[in-house]
């Protein structure tokens, strides 16, 4: 699963769901975005985004109780790992070395960053 597989708004909703310690109800999602984020989203709009996230495999919808519960189907950590891997595959011919070369060409690593990178590579 990759970031570009969803719209910016879908990603915005998914980030909110990741930030919660518990699954969310539709009402909680509406309240968060309309009252706390000052959006003016209609119920149908939010429902469409949630349905799309579920269809794309990013969200599970548990309809077993009185109210539907919305639960991310992929953790934030796993999502970003997959996203980083996809960037390397798509843009750097699957080469981590090519990615690091491109990243560091205009951004010189500090001594500490170099040491951290070397320590990480040695631990593989």
């Amino acid at each position: 699963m990759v970031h570009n597989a969803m719209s910016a708004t879908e990603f915005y909703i998914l980030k909110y769901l990741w930030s919660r310690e518990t699954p969310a109800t539709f009402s909680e999602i509406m309240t968060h975005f309309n009252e706390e984020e000052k959006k003016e989203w209609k119920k149908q709009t939010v429902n469409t985004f949630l349905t799309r996230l579920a269809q794309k495999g990013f969200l599970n919808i548990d309809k077993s109780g009185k109210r539907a519960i919305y639960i991310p189907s992929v953790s934030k950590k796993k999502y970003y790992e997959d996203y980083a891997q996809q960037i390397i595959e798509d843009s750097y011919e699957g080469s981590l070395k090519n990615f690091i070369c491109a990243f560091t060409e205009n951004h010189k690593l500090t001594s500490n960053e170099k040491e951290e990178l070397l320590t990480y590579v040695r631990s593989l």
Side-chain angles (χ1 to χ4, degrees):
M1 289 186 245
V2 293
H3 177 71
N4 61 5
M6 70 180 97
S7 72
T9 303
E10 291 165 350
F11 189 59
Y12 186 48
I13 292 169
L14 187 59
K15 288 193 316 186
Y16 163 67
L17 293 171
W18 281 329
S19 75
R20 295 176 51 91
E21 293 185 19
T22 59
T25 64
F26 187 83
S27 168
E28 290 169 330
I29 294 167
M30 287 294 296
T31 299
H32 172 77
F33 286 106
N34 286 340
E35 293 180 15
E36 295 175 34
E37 298 286 334
K38 305 299 183 208
K39 302 290 181 190
E40 294 182 6
W41 291 349
K42 297 186 183 329
K43 288 180 181 182
Q44 185 58 43
T45 301
V46 174
N47 188 55
T48 297
F49 286 125
L50 293 171
T51 300
R52 286 180 187 165
L53 282 167
Q55 289 170 342
K56 294 174 183 180
F58 293 105
L59 189 64
N60 290 322
I61 304 172
D62 179 357
K63 296 181 179 180
S64 63
K66 285 184 179 181
R67 298 186 228 164
I69 303 291
Y70 298 87
I71 309 157
S73 59
V74 63
S75 71
K76 182 178 180 180
K77 181 181 184 297
K78 176 69 173 143
Y79 172 81
Y80 280 109
E81 287 171 357
D82 291 350
Y83 184 45
Q85 186 63 42
Q86 193 68 48
I87 289 170
I88 290 169
E89 288 174 16
D90 291 347
S91 302
Y92 300 98
E93 301 170 354
S95 169
L96 181 58
K97 179 188 116 351
N98 290 348
F99 169 77
I100 292 171
C101 289
F103 180 77
T104 58
E105 187 167 323
N106 292 317
H107 171 80
K108 298 300 177 198
L109 295 176
T110 66
S111 294
N112 191 39
E113 288 172 323
K114 287 177 189 176
E115 191 56 43
E116 286 176 356
L117 187 57
L118 286 169
T119 300
Y120 175 73
V121 169
R122 287 181 188 124
S123 74
L124 298 176

